Amino acid sequence: MSSSVPVARRSSLPAAVLWDMDGTIIDTEPYWMAAERALVEEAGGTWSHEQALALVGNPLLVSAQTIIDQTPVTGTAAAVVDLIQGRVESLMKERLPWRPGARELLADLRSRGVPCALVTMSYDVLARVLIAALPEGTFAHVITGDQVARGKPHPEPYLTATSRLRADPRRCVAIEDSPTGVASAVAAGVPTIGVPHIVPIEPRPGLKLVRTLAELSADQLWPVAMEGVSGPPVLNPAHGSEGTRGSRRKDDRPWWKRAWAVITNPFTDDDDAQSQSRDLLPQRRSVPPPLGRPLEPWGRLERHFQIRWDAADLEAVSEVLRRAGVSEHADGSKVYSGLAALVRDPARPKDKKAIAVFVDGTHLGYLDRKRARAYFEEVTEATEQGGYVESTATVRVTPQDKRVKLRIHLDLPKPGELLPRNSAPTEPYAIVPLGRRVQVIGEEASREALQAFVTRSKQTPVLVTLRTVVEKKPRSQTRLVEVELDGEVVGQLSRAQSSRLLRVLDRLNAQGFLAVARAWVGGTPNAPQVTLDINRDDAHLHDWLALHRRSARSGSLHEIVPSADPISQDG
C-alpha cells in the first residue's frame, strides 16, 4: 500500500518512521487474551491470566500449540490461530483501543512530510481494520506477518520496510512495545524507541526507552532515538582517522587475541572494554547499504562458500553478533544466520567489479574477484531493476589455540541462475516451492514466443505464470494447468501433473495471488522445450499453504516456504 507523501526536509526529522501495531498504536493485547480465554472455556477448560501472559511475545503457532497442550482445545495449531484471530478481528471492528499519543504522533509526522510504514506481525486482515480507522495515506507501506518469510525477532520485517521506502535503516526510527519487536528493529540497524506496555523491555544498544508516546512530537523523535545509539567507533589514528578518543594505546597482545576481544566484547556490558577493542581497528570505508526491493535467487541455493574479509571487518562482525538470534556451540563458537544482500561497489579501490556482501544490513566483506566477475552481470541487472540480490548467510566465529577462525558462508545458485531472464508479474504473486522438473506439453505451438529465450549454449531461466483452464470434450470437461510466459501461452501440464497443482492455484487465486513457477527454456528455435521446477509433494504443498497464507510480496522474487521462525504474536 503506498501513497504520495511529501519528503521530510529538516535534518532533525528521521527519513521515515516504522510503527509496530499491537501494543504500540492500539492496545489489542487484552483482545488476544480474551479470545484465548473464550476459546478455551468453550472447549470446557479454564485459562488463567498468568497462562495468557506467558504467551505474550510467543509466535502465533507456538501459542496455539501451547493452548492445545494445556487445555481441552483440539485441532491443528493453524486452525486455532484462525479462530483466535477471527475473534480479535471482531473485537477490533467494535472498538479500537488507541495507545496514548499514537494517533497524534502519526498526524504530526504526516503534517511534517515524514513517511510512515506499519511493520506488524499481525496478518493483513487485522492491519486493514487499523488502516481503515486512520486518515488515508497515513502509512506509505504496510508490512504484515503474512508478507515475510521470517517474522520478528528476525530483522526481515524492518529490512523489508526500509527497502520499500528506499530509505537507509540508520536514518529511520522504529517504535516498538515488546522485546521481540525491539530485537527485530535493532537487528535491522534501525534506531529504536521502546514504549514498554504488557511486557518489560531491557535496555540495550540502539534502543531508547520512553514512558509514553504522548510525550513526543515529530521533531523530538530523531533526537530521542539517537540517545539510544552509541557514538561512532573510536578509530585507529594510524589509518588516518580523526576524532580519536584519547591517545593511542600500545597493545602487545597477538592479533588473534585482539580479534577475539573485538568479537566477544559485544556480549559483555563493559563499555570501556568495547571502546578499547575498537581502538585496535582500522577505519573502514563506508559502503552504501542495499536499497530497493530484495530479489531472491531464481535457482537452487547449492553453492556454499566463504566471502573475503580482513581485520577492518571485525567491527562489523562484532556488530552482527550483538543481535538477537546468536547461538553458542559446545566448541565455544558463536553463530549467526541472517539475510545476505549482494551490492555492487564500483568505488572499491583497484576493483571496479567488486561485489559487497551485507548481512542483515551490515557490510561484512566481498565476494572474491573470480566469483564477483561470475555474478557481476546479474548483480548489475538487479540494481538496474531497482533492487538487490538477497540470499542467506551464516557468520561463525570460533576461538582456537593461537588464532580466531572466522567463517562467513554465503548461499547462492550457479552463475547464470541468479535472476530469471524475464520480468516478474506486476500483480501480487507467490512462487511455488522448488522440487522436481516437470515437462510442459504443447510448446511447439508457441515457437515464436519462445524463440527469444532459446540459446545454443544452455537453458534459459525464466518465471512462468500458472493458470487454470477447462478442456471441454463432447461428454466431459477437464481442468488443466496452463503455462504462460510474459503473457503468452506456451503450453500445458498433463492431466496427472495438473491434478497435483489445481488446489494450490485455487487457494492462491482466491487470496488474490497469481501462482508463479521457475522454469527452463531449452531445445532449439524450431523445437523449443519448457520445463518447470516445482514441488508436487502433497504434504509439502499443504504445509506451505497452511503456514504462509497470503505470504507473497508483489514485485519481488519471494518464494514462500515453511519458515523456521514462526510469526510472532507480539507484532
Side-chain angles (χ1 to χ4, degrees):
M1 183 174 299
S2 61
S3 62
S4 56
V5 186
V7 178
R9 295 178 180 177
R10 289 185 53 180
S11 60
S12 62
L13 296 173
V17 178
L18 316 176
W19 290 78
D20 171 55
M21 184 176 79
D22 298 295
T24 300
I25 300 178
I26 48 178
D27 186 8
T28 47
E29 201 60 59
Y31 287 179
W32 287 98
M33 294 180 177
E36 294 161 4
R37 184 173 61 254
L39 181 66
V40 173
E41 290 177 352
E42 286 177 5
T46 58
W47 189 246
S48 69
H49 182 65
E50 289 70 26
Q51 285 175 301
L53 283 178
L55 298 188
V56 174
N58 278 359
L60 282 176
L61 291 175
V62 173
S63 294
Q65 189 59 52
T66 301
I67 292 173
I68 294 171
D69 294 341
Q70 297 181 4
T71 72
V73 173
T74 59
T76 65
V80 171
V81 168
D82 287 341
L83 290 172
I84 294 175
Q85 182 175 250
R87 294 172 186 267
V88 172
E89 181 186 4
S90 298
L91 292 170
M92 288 176 62
K93 287 181 177 179
E94 291 178 10
R95 186 180 74 88
L96 286 177
W98 300 97
R99 294 284 292 144
R103 277 190 294 183
E104 293 79 4
L105 184 54
L106 280 165
D108 192 13
L109 289 166
R110 179 163 175 76
S111 70
R112 302 299 303 277
V114 179
C116 291
L118 186 65
V119 185
T120 175
M121 289 299 94
S122 286
Y123 290 173
D124 180 77
V125 65
L126 298 184
R128 291 190 178 277
V129 178
L130 170 70
I131 293 166
L134 290 168
E136 184 178 356
T138 296
F139 294 109
H141 292 280
V142 176
I143 313 299
T144 58
D146 42 4
Q147 291 181 9
V148 294
R150 298 177 178 88
K152 301 174 185 178
H154 196 277
E156 183 183 348
Y158 280 99
L159 292 174
T160 300
T162 56
S163 173
R164 292 186 184 178
L165 288 163
R166 295 181 177 271
D168 185 340
R170 296 167 297 184
R171 287 290 303 158
C172 299
V173 170
I175 303 177
E176 278 282 357
D177 77 300
S178 71
T180 303
V182 165
S184 175
V186 172
V190 182
T192 304
I193 294 176
V195 192
H197 183 37
I198 298 293
V199 180
I201 304 175
E202 294 297 325
R204 59 181 296 170
L207 170 69
K208 174 63 178 178
L209 296 174
V210 300
R211 188 176 61 87
T212 173
L213 292 179
E215 300 173 348
L216 297 177
S217 66
D219 283 317
Q220 293 172 313
L221 273 184
W222 182 250
V224 169
M226 285 298 96
E227 292 178 21
V229 178
S230 58
V234 180
L235 302 173
N236 184 350
H239 291 269
S241 61
E242 298 178 358
T244 306
R245 187 187 309 145
S247 59
R248 172 68 177 170
R249 294 182 295 274
K250 184 177 179 181
D251 195 311
D252 294 326
R253 291 179 297 171
W255 175 87
W256 68 272
K257 284 188 176 180
R258 288 182 287 155
W260 188 245
V262 175
I263 292 167
T264 55
N265 268 327
F267 294 95
T268 75
D269 296 324
D270 189 347
D271 292 336
D272 185 61
Q274 286 198 36
S275 66
Q276 290 180 23
S277 297
R278 293 192 185 104
D279 279 343
L280 305 172
L281 299 175
Q283 183 175 14
R284 290 187 291 136
R285 184 176 61 83
S286 177
V287 179
L291 297 176
R293 70 182 192 275
L295 303 175
E296 295 197 14
W298 180 94
R300 295 175 182 273
L301 302 180
E302 56 186 36
R303 293 201 163 195
H304 314 284
F305 50 77
Q306 299 183 54
I307 67 173
R308 290 170 51 190
W309 70 282
D310 52 36
D313 297 309
L314 289 174
E315 172 68 13
V317 173
S318 172
E319 179 182 334
V320 168
L321 293 181
R322 291 191 188 103
R323 298 173 179 169
V326 174
S327 60
E328 297 195 43
H329 292 220
D331 62 355
S333 62
K334 301 178 187 297
V335 180
Y336 178 81
S337 298
L339 294 176
L342 272 59
V343 183
R344 291 185 311 171
D345 183 16
R348 181 169 171 81
K350 300 180 181 179
D351 191 359
K352 300 302 180 184
K353 291 190 175 182
I355 295 179
V357 178
F358 288 75
V359 175
D360 289 339
T362 300
H363 176 223
L364 292 190
Y366 292 86
L367 296 185
D368 63 60
R369 293 199 176 198
K370 182 178 179 180
R371 289 193 176 99
R373 277 150 180 72
Y375 289 105
F376 184 78
E377 216 172 283
E378 292 172 285
V379 172
T380 299
E381 182 181 340
T383 303
E384 292 172 350
Q385 292 180 17
Y388 58 89
V389 175
E390 182 181 78
S391 187
T392 55
T394 302
V395 180
R396 177 185 288 268
V397 185
T398 308
Q400 296 187 344
D401 291 341
K402 293 187 178 181
R403 62 194 178 100
V404 173
K405 194 172 186 179
L406 172 60
R407 290 181 176 177
I408 305 171
H409 287 277
L410 186 65
D411 299 332
L412 287 175
K414 299 174 182 177
E417 298 180 11
L418 208 55
L419 297 174
R421 294 298 175 266
N422 64 325
S423 300
T426 56
E427 304 170 60
Y429 65 90
I431 302 180
V432 180
L434 285 165
R436 296 183 178 181
R437 293 200 176 188
V438 177
Q439 184 65 48
V440 174
I441 59 177
E443 310 103 308
E444 60 278 359
S446 307
R447 282 197 297 267
E448 291 185 8
L450 293 171
Q451 282 177 350
F453 296 96
V454 176
T455 61
R456 293 183 179 180
S457 58
K458 57 184 179 181
Q459 294 184 319
T460 303
V462 295
L463 282 179
V464 296
T465 302
L466 307 180
R467 299 186 186 274
T468 303
V469 296
V470 177
E471 183 182 64
K472 294 183 178 180
K473 293 187 176 181
R475 295 185 178 182
S476 65
Q477 59 182 26
T478 306
R479 297 176 71 212
L480 298 174
V481 174
E482 193 172 66
V483 181
E484 288 185 4
L485 175 61
D486 289 350
E488 298 283 342
V489 177
V490 294
Q492 294 179 338
L493 297 186
S494 66
R495 291 188 183 184
Q497 301 296 353
S498 294
S499 64
R500 292 174 176 266
L501 291 173
L502 286 172
R503 182 171 58 88
V504 174
L505 269 64
D506 291 342
R507 182 77 174 269
L508 291 176
N509 294 161
Q511 294 168 353
F513 294 99
L514 296 178
V516 170
R518 295 172 169 90
W520 297 94
V521 178
T524 65
N526 291 327
Q529 294 183 345
V530 179
T531 308
L532 305 187
D533 198 335
I534 53 176
N535 194 304
R536 295 169 292 161
D537 180 71
D538 290 338
H540 181 90
L541 291 174
H542 178 271
D543 292 342
W544 175 63
L545 288 170
L547 288 173
H548 294 276
R549 297 174 309 158
R550 306 198 64 180
S551 196
R553 287 185 290 190
S554 177
S556 71
L557 294 182
H558 181 63
E559 177 185 359
I560 315 169
V561 295
S563 172
D565 302 304
I567 296 170
S568 168
Q569 173 177 321
D570 207 42

